[in-house]
Amino acid sequence: MSERIPVVEKILSANDRLAGENRARIDAAGVFSINVMASPGAGKTSLIERTVRALCPKYRIGMINGDILTSLDAERAAAAGAVAIQINTGGDCHLDAVMLQPALDQIGLENLDLLIVENVGNLICPAEFRLGTHKNVIVASIPEGDDKPHKYPAMYRGADVLILNKIDLLPYVTFRMDFFSQGVAALNPGLTQFDLSCRTGEGLDAWYGWLEARLSGEKVPDA
Ligand code: MG
Ligand code: ZN
């Protein structure tokens, strides 16, 4: 038992080193990058699809999708106008920095303004593996319940931006906004949050504004 913890620490520190290399490449290309994480079905791909449609062709957007098996999400992003690369993780339930490297080789960073990584749908281990992206964006959604920040603290602690999606479902689902917000505030006080619906479009403009402020090179306070 006692030998297992150092092994895990070694894997994570090797990953951090590679994440640093990824970051250097992304920075050298002048690209802003986000790592989108969520449980399955929260709306990562819908958010990415809407974002690509809204910001292309003003900004050149690349999308790297981590999926256990399919390329359905990458195809949606490509149809919306992004350069999309699929990483099939072969059963792994998260992306890590080394998996990102061949995708970074392929995607043509020098031709991009924004790189969006869609992580595997999972609220646990994606939080442990840095990829080298600039900001962690967590997508929560009304139907998955108001207890998620209480149950998955690492994911919420490491977030730079929180998207609360599917707010159009609030009239139909029991979701205690105050309980949710208390959980978030305890882990990550002052976290930037956008409440929106990718289905109706409500609230999306504020999210686009946050991204555009970073893409335009404005001096913005760290989220
Ligand atoms: Mg998806
Ligand atoms: Zn995993």
Side-chain angles (χ1 to χ4, degrees):
M1 273 303 279
S2 61
E3 282 172 9
R4 294 188 58 183
I5 291 169
V7 169
V8 170
E9 280 172 358
K10 261 187 206 160
I11 290 168
L12 287 175
S13 77
N15 182 75
D16 278 357
R17 199 182 63 247
L18 294 172
E21 289 175 11
N22 290 346
R23 169 67 71 86
R25 292 176 66 181
I26 294 167
D27 281 344
V31 174
F32 178 69
S33 58
I34 58 175
N35 176 15
V36 180
M37 295 179 277
S39 65
K44 293 182 295 304
T45 312
S46 298
L47 179 76
I48 292 166
E49 200 174 19
R50 298 282 310 222
T51 303
V52 170
R53 280 191 204 287
L55 300 186
C56 275
K58 187 175 177 190
Y59 299 99
R60 302 163 300 172
I61 304 179
M63 185 264 209
I64 296 174
N65 175 254
D67 196 288
I68 289 174
L69 201 59
T70 75
S71 60
L72 294 171
D73 294 354
E75 285 161 20
R76 284 170 64 186
V83 180
I85 303 271
Q86 178 66 36
I87 302 174
N88 285 130
T89 65
D92 265 6
C93 48
H94 60 268
L95 288 178
D96 63 23
V98 75
M99 284 185 223
L100 208 63
Q101 288 181 330
L104 292 177
D105 293 339
Q106 242 184 298
I107 202 162
L109 279 176
E110 62 287 353
N111 299 319
L112 299 180
D113 301 302
L114 171 64
L115 173 66
I116 303 175
V117 179
E118 178 179 349
N119 216 309
V120 180
N122 174 356
L123 287 175
I124 305 170
C125 37
E128 305 292 329
F129 291 86
R130 293 172 49 220
L131 304 180
T133 47
H134 294 102
K135 297 290 179 192
N136 288 335
V137 176
I138 310 305
V139 184
S141 69
I142 299 301
E144 72 194 89
D146 52 25
D147 58 356
K148 292 301 167 290
H150 299 272
K151 288 189 168 177
Y152 301 97
M155 180 58 75
Y156 281 82
R157 214 178 271 126
D160 299 300
V161 174
L162 171 60
I163 305 270
L164 182 55
N165 187 23
K166 309 193 190 184
I167 55 168
D168 53 308
L169 298 182
L170 274 169
Y172 314 106
V173 178
T174 301
F175 187 96
R176 294 160 298 174
M177 195 63 83
D178 53 346
F179 183 62
F180 178 81
S181 299
Q182 280 159 18
V184 174
L187 297 164
N188 197 330
L191 177 61
T192 299
Q193 180 174 336
F194 299 106
D195 297 354
L196 54 79
S197 166
C198 289
R199 193 178 71 84
T200 66
E202 184 186 358
L204 277 163
D205 283 343
W207 156 245
Y208 301 151
W210 182 90
L211 265 180
E212 282 212 77
R214 276 142 192 89
L215 290 168
S216 65
E218 262 175 63
K219 285 274 170 266
V220 282
D222 223 24

